[in-house]
Amino acid sequence: MKRIVLLRLGHRPERDKRITTHVGLTARLLGAEGMLLASNDPGIIATLEDVVSRWGGNFYIKNNVNYKQEIKEWKAAGGKVCHLSMYGINLPDVTDELKSCDKLMIVVGAEKVPPEIYQLADWNVAVGSQPHSEVAAVAITLDRIADGEPLKREFQNAELTIVPAERGKQVIENLRD
Amino acid sequence: MKRIVLLRLGHRPERDKRITTHVGLTARLLGAEGMLLASNDPGIIATLEDVVSRWGGNFYIKNNVNYKQEIKEWKAAGGKVCHLSMYGINLPDVTDELKSCDKLMIVVGAEKVPPEIYQLADWNVAVGSQPHSEVAAVAITLDRIADGEPLKREFQNAELTIVPAERGKQVIENLRD
């Protein structure tokens, strides 16, 4: 079972609140086990934990991590690190390598990232070498490297489950013990 | 040549400024010809037009459109309409149909959309039936239905071009007549 974790750098509370929330929702949707936030923003944690408690699964969010320490520990445990930005090797040229990796940390910054992240990463990867939505970059990367169909995963222990429907909204409230 | 246009509904200036900008960047990156904004926000238009003028291509942005009128005209000209939300048919189950469509409007809302959009759309499509980033939904959908490799498109007449690099940033300034 492949392990993927997302590391979010450079998040500024207020300014990046919604984008970082979308990064977290996208990581959860596409099979990451959790998101490490290298800033202090308990509001983001609360928002995403609320999603997990209602919609299921085990996605975790860790507030205010030391990113260098997290990268160091991840690598020491055999993990690889892929930094997504506008400037790296184009994703199609490294997809196979990323896909074959059992333990992958995906790093995405906000507008500014510490320059040393380019050295710490095993891969610096561009998702198209064009102005960059970090949400789209995470989405496309995780979708392309997923094992199986990531959009058909089930999230265990959900309070709410959507029933796919051609028109309108169908949501089941699951009774739990 | 397939035509794809994005229609953004329910955008609230200020609150949705950055998410809508990311939706626009993502649509441009993945081959949409333009974005129709069903709200009045000249700031978004200016931001995205600035990206296009520096980074190339012909992506257009139309401010403050009447969404019903746009959908009606698109359909009258033979186009189809795909609304992305949390509640539709799961994307993997309609990808082939969407991909075979020559003229496709992708509609994404912000938190609230007018209920009639579910009736106006030819397809209501969920990108995973889970809490939803509209940026990720647009990214995954356009990536999956693209002809060829969307991340290797060239954008004509760019002032700036990124050279893919393993470390650091390499940007070429192109001289123009």
Side-chain angles (χ1 to χ4, degrees):
Chain A
M1 180 67 186
K2 186 185 286 192
R3 286 185 60 196
I4 296 174
V5 69
L6 198 127
L7 171 62
R8 171 64 162 164
L9 292 183
H11 166 84
R12 297 151 294 182
E14 292 317 309
R15 181 165 162 78
D16 295 319
K17 183 172 159 34
R18 295 191 66 217
I19 296 291
T20 299
T21 301
H22 282 230
V23 167
L25 291 175
T26 302
R28 172 182 174 274
L29 175 69
L30 296 172
E33 64 182 44
M35 180 168 81
L36 313 175
L37 184 64
S39 309
N40 182 23
D41 191 344
I44 295 281
I45 312 299
T47 299
L48 289 170
E49 285 182 345
D50 182 57
V51 167
V52 174
S53 80
R54 286 185 298 146
W55 295 94
N58 299 312
F59 190 79
Y60 60 82
I61 313 100
K62 224 170 130 183
N63 192 36
N64 208 14
V65 304
N66 176 323
Y67 80 90
K68 286 186 204 172
Q69 189 63 27
E70 295 288 343
I71 289 175
K72 196 175 152 191
E73 288 174 11
W74 186 260
K75 285 179 154 185
K80 297 283 192 181
V81 176
C82 170
H83 171 224
L84 302 179
S85 79
M86 287 169 67
Y87 299 100
I89 302 298
N90 204 351
L91 178 63
D93 299 325
V94 289
T95 307
D96 290 345
E97 279 179 66
L98 296 178
K99 194 165 176 167
S100 70
C101 191
D102 289 333
K103 197 173 171 207
L104 186 63
M105 177 183 280
I106 302 280
V107 183
V108 275
E111 279 175 31
K112 301 268 180 197
V113 293
E116 69 186 311
I117 191 67
Y118 287 91
Q119 306 306 322
L120 291 170
D122 294 292
W123 300 275
N124 291 287
V125 171
V127 180
S129 306
Q130 286 289 321
H132 176 93
S133 163
E134 56 264 44
V135 185
V138 168
I140 294 169
T141 303
L142 292 185
D143 191 33
R144 290 191 178 197
I145 69 174
D147 293 328
E149 172 50 83
L151 299 180
K152 295 211 165 175
R153 283 208 191 90
E154 295 201 357
F155 289 81
Q156 299 301 314
N157 209 26
E159 276 176 29
L160 299 171
T161 306
I162 289 172
V163 183
E166 291 197 5
R167 311 269 164 210
K169 305 180 180 182
Q170 287 186 32
V171 183
I172 295 174
E173 286 193 49
N174 305 299
L175 295 175
R176 292 200 284 196
D177 298 334
Chain B
M1 181 68 186
K2 187 185 284 192
R3 286 185 60 195
I4 296 174
V5 69
L6 199 127
L7 171 62
R8 171 64 162 164
L9 292 183
H11 166 84
R12 298 152 294 182
E14 291 317 309
R15 182 166 163 77
D16 295 319
K17 182 173 160 33
R18 295 191 65 217
I19 296 290
T20 299
T21 301
H22 282 230
V23 167
L25 291 175
T26 302
R28 172 182 175 274
L29 175 69
L30 296 172
E33 63 182 44
M35 180 169 82
L36 313 175
L37 184 64
S39 309
N40 182 23
D41 191 344
I44 295 281
I45 312 299
T47 299
L48 289 170
E49 286 182 344
D50 182 56
V51 167
V52 173
S53 80
R54 286 184 298 146
W55 295 94
N58 299 311
F59 190 80
Y60 60 82
I61 313 99
K62 223 170 130 184
N63 192 36
N64 208 14
V65 304
N66 176 323
Y67 80 89
K68 285 186 206 173
Q69 189 63 27
E70 295 288 343
I71 289 175
K72 196 174 152 191
E73 288 174 10
W74 185 259
K75 285 179 154 184
K80 297 282 191 181
V81 176
C82 170
H83 172 224
L84 302 179
S85 79
M86 288 170 66
Y87 299 101
I89 302 298
N90 204 352
L91 178 63
D93 299 325
V94 289
T95 307
D96 290 346
E97 279 179 66
L98 296 178
K99 195 166 175 167
S100 70
C101 191
D102 289 332
K103 197 174 170 205
L104 186 63
M105 177 183 279
I106 302 280
V107 183
V108 275
E111 279 176 31
K112 301 267 180 197
V113 293
E116 68 187 312
I117 191 67
Y118 286 92
Q119 305 306 322
L120 291 170
D122 294 291
W123 300 275
N124 291 286
V125 171
V127 180
S129 305
Q130 287 288 321
H132 176 91
S133 163
E134 57 264 44
V135 185
V138 168
I140 294 168
T141 303
L142 292 185
D143 191 33
R144 290 191 179 198
I145 69 174
D147 293 328
E149 172 52 82
L151 299 180
K152 296 211 164 175
R153 283 209 191 89
E154 295 200 358
F155 288 81
Q156 298 302 313
N157 209 26
E159 277 176 29
L160 299 171
T161 306
I162 289 172
V163 182
E166 292 197 3
R167 311 269 164 210
K169 305 180 181 183
Q170 287 186 32
V171 182
I172 295 174
E173 285 193 48
N174 305 300
L175 295 175
R176 292 200 284 195
D177 299 333

